[in-house]
Amino acid sequence: MRLLFLLPLLALMACAPTPASHNRTTQQNSTYAGPIPPMKRFGPAHVSPPTRSNSEIAQDFLDLSFRLENGQPLPFMTRFEVPISVRINGTAPATLSSDLDALLVRLRNEAGIDIRRVPAAKTANISINTVPVRQFKHMRPTAACFVVPGVSSWGDFRRLRRSSVTNWKTLRKRTRMAIFIPDNVSPQEMRDCLHEELAQALGPLNDLFRLPDSIFNDDNYHSILTGFDMLVLRAYYAPELHKGTTRQQAAAALPRILARLNPAGEFATGHAPVSATPKSWENAIRQTINPAKSHSARRAAAMRAVTIARNHGWADVRTGFSLHKLGRLTLAQDAGLARCAFREALTIFRGRPEMRLQAAQITMQLAAISLSDGDAQIAINQANSSLPALLQAQDAVTLSMVLMIKAEALDLQNHTTEAREVRLDSLGWARYAFGSKKAALDRLAGISALTPK
């Protein structure tokens, strides 16, 4: 087992030596004194339809819909059987309101769900609540946001949280749901919570790490509902299904449902069946993101995840994700090892069209390394190649940092005017991605610190 643990490390270390340029002195502080542009916002989403076969999608649907996230099986489906109403309880930022309206339009148009917003004073099937962060973290210290059945408000949840009313396992029908989001997070974080938790309130309750093109995945690559997600929700509300449908009944109905909703999937090339994800890999991945663990423990967990993925022979999003985590957790200690991990992950992600967003996020990491090496043109090329996927996925976090990297690289080439324009663009997206002006400027300073003097 010890030898197996070392094999991925040896393979990555053989990839390339640490470049000498990583030992250069870099700027430690950068003060931006220019104008701070207003927050930038995305327009209507234009997501790509799923490219996988309907037989694969049917299996994904069943595994998403008939298990909870903790692995417990569900005997039957539950869903809303009437037109669905949504409200925002209390006060909320303007961005939350407009992002909700945009999401509801998509759910009606792309998923075919009859869902409408109602005023806060009216009773609604789904209530969205922003909660003071201290109260939120006291109740759910590790959650970004969450959805609970059977309640509408924070007070309801606190009073009934240990009762059967809020237990997904004992749920028989969906009539009331509450989504809870901390009140101090950035506009993008609030939007991401809306997409993920509203999708769960409406449809499947499970997440699957094997999914490359879905928000129903705890790897958090996707932050808005994808074409796959909308197809799953449309199928979830197909007339052939209803609350009380068993897994066997759903499996019998799905081929004709998907043939009707996604005819292209009947002719898509199927991939080899994806093996089950072992708990050992999931546990290792969860340790890599556990803030209570030391950095060295998280780095070791990332290595275990890579080892397990390789031992299973995976060449899918799970292996790429393992390598991504390893790259990020080793970058400060061994830039050569991190570079190799990122490059291997990028090769995996470029292998299938549904992983182009993952490829763009890895390319951002490599562009940052190129910038720190002083390879300005390579950094610019890498930044430019990632922009289309990031814009389509409406990922303002990565988009803003890619533009910051590009601006620094342009400065290295003495293209001062263009660098200034790109930097302003990056700050507009950073306002949406990170919230405050200070948070946006802190990110800008962090990217600037990568640039060789």
Side-chain angles (χ1 to χ4, degrees):
M1 284 302 297
R2 190 168 185 175
L3 176 60
L4 287 175
F5 180 81
L6 288 172
L7 286 177
L9 177 60
L10 294 172
L12 285 167
M13 287 178 70
C15 172
T18 302
S21 56
H22 275 281
N23 297 321
R24 294 176 182 174
T25 301
T26 57
Q27 299 171 16
Q28 297 303 311
N29 297 290
S30 177
T31 303
Y32 174 76
I36 307 295
M39 180 186 298
K40 300 197 75 165
R41 302 291 303 279
F42 292 103
H46 300 286
V47 299
S48 300
T51 58
R52 294 183 288 125
S53 69
N54 280 345
S55 60
E56 290 180 67
I57 294 171
Q59 186 61 52
D60 294 336
F61 181 98
L62 294 172
D63 291 344
L64 286 170
S65 303
F66 291 94
R67 283 193 182 276
L68 295 173
E69 285 187 66
N70 61 11
Q72 290 185 321
L74 291 170
F76 46 74
M77 286 176 59
T78 59
R79 72 178 195 186
F80 291 100
E81 296 293 341
V82 294
I84 303 162
S85 55
V86 182
R87 68 176 180 178
I88 295 177
N89 265 351
T91 59
T95 57
L96 177 66
S97 181
S98 58
D99 283 337
L100 174 61
D101 290 338
L103 176 55
L104 295 182
V105 169
R106 287 192 63 202
L107 288 169
R108 290 192 294 268
N109 294 340
E110 298 175 43
I113 297 175
D114 187 358
I115 185 168
R116 307 280 168 177
R117 184 172 171 182
V118 298
K122 289 194 173 184
T123 302
N125 299 116
I126 301 172
S127 299
I128 299 162
N129 302 264
T130 56
V131 181
V133 64
R134 286 189 178 180
Q135 296 180 33
F136 185 97
K137 291 301 180 184
H138 177 73
M139 299 295 291
R140 292 288 180 92
T142 62
C145 44
F146 60 97
V147 59
V148 178
V151 299
S152 296
S153 68
W154 184 248
D156 291 344
F157 167 65
R158 293 185 64 180
R159 187 174 66 256
L160 300 171
R161 68 184 186 278
R162 293 190 177 91
S163 73
S164 60
V165 172
T166 58
N167 190 335
W168 289 104
K169 181 71 175 177
T170 60
L171 190 67
R172 294 294 177 265
K173 61 180 180 179
R174 301 192 195 190
T175 56
R176 283 198 304 166
M177 299 276 174
I179 294 170
F180 300 110
I181 306 172
D183 65 357
N184 70 329
V185 298
S186 71
Q188 174 162 329
E189 288 179 89
M190 284 198 174
R191 183 210 63 187
D192 295 355
C193 282
L194 275 183
H195 281 248
E196 184 169 354
E197 305 306 335
L198 192 53
Q200 191 174 63
L202 294 169
L205 301 174
N206 195 11
D207 283 321
L208 297 171
F209 275 111
R210 71 172 188 253
L211 297 178
D213 52 356
S214 177
I215 204 171
F216 292 107
N217 188 330
D218 281 339
D219 62 17
N220 292 328
Y221 281 118
H222 291 275
S223 55
I224 65 169
L225 289 169
T226 66
F228 169 87
D229 298 331
M230 289 297 186
L231 175 61
V232 165
L233 289 172
R234 184 178 281 272
Y236 205 90
Y237 282 83
E240 294 93 332
L241 305 178
H242 51 81
K243 63 180 175 67
T245 296
T246 65
R247 184 181 178 114
Q248 185 177 8
Q249 291 169 332
L254 277 171
R256 63 177 179 273
I257 293 173
L258 292 174
R260 181 179 73 247
L261 299 180
N262 186 42
E266 294 293 287
F267 307 100
T269 302
H271 298 95
V274 178
S275 61
T277 305
K279 285 294 182 185
S280 57
W281 182 86
E282 290 192 7
N283 290 339
I285 283 294
R286 296 193 193 286
Q287 287 185 47
T288 68
I289 58 177
N290 186 346
K293 298 288 183 180
S294 67
H295 188 83
S296 60
R298 294 169 64 194
R299 190 168 60 247
M303 185 59 69
R304 287 198 301 275
V306 172
T307 301
I308 294 167
R310 285 186 168 154
N311 287 345
H312 281 78
W314 298 336
D316 58 21
V317 69
R318 294 170 295 182
T319 303
F321 185 44
S322 304
L323 289 160
H324 190 173
K325 300 305 276 185
L326 178 63
R328 292 189 63 178
L329 289 165
T330 57
L331 187 57
Q333 292 76 29
D334 190 338
L337 175 59
R339 182 195 298 268
C340 291
F342 289 142
R343 283 178 173 168
E344 188 177 341
L346 184 60
T347 299
I348 292 170
F349 290 148
R350 282 178 171 168
R352 288 172 57 175
E354 61 267 25
M355 295 192 288
R356 63 194 296 262
L357 174 61
Q358 289 92 327
Q361 294 183 3
I362 290 290
T363 301
M364 183 273 289
Q365 301 282 354
L366 290 170
I369 292 174
S370 297
L371 176 65
S372 68
D373 287 343
D375 294 329
Q377 191 57 52
I378 294 175
I380 290 168
N381 294 343
Q382 290 168 325
N384 287 339
S385 70
S386 67
L387 291 176
L390 298 173
L391 285 165
Q392 183 182 30
Q394 300 196 349
D395 178 2
V397 170
T398 312
L399 175 61
S400 63
M401 291 193 290
V402 163
L403 292 171
M404 290 174 185
I405 291 168
K406 182 178 177 180
E408 290 294 324
L410 287 167
D411 266 337
L412 281 180
Q413 295 183 330
N414 294 318
H415 298 314
T416 309
T417 301
E418 186 179 355
R420 184 183 303 115
E421 293 173 356
V422 173
R423 189 171 287 110
L424 285 172
D425 198 22
S426 75
L427 286 169
W429 290 116
R431 295 284 303 278
Y432 183 73
F434 305 114
S436 68
K437 293 180 182 180
K438 181 182 183 303
L441 291 173
D442 285 347
R443 291 290 174 146
L444 183 63
I447 297 297
S448 179
L450 296 174
T451 311
K453 284 186 179 180

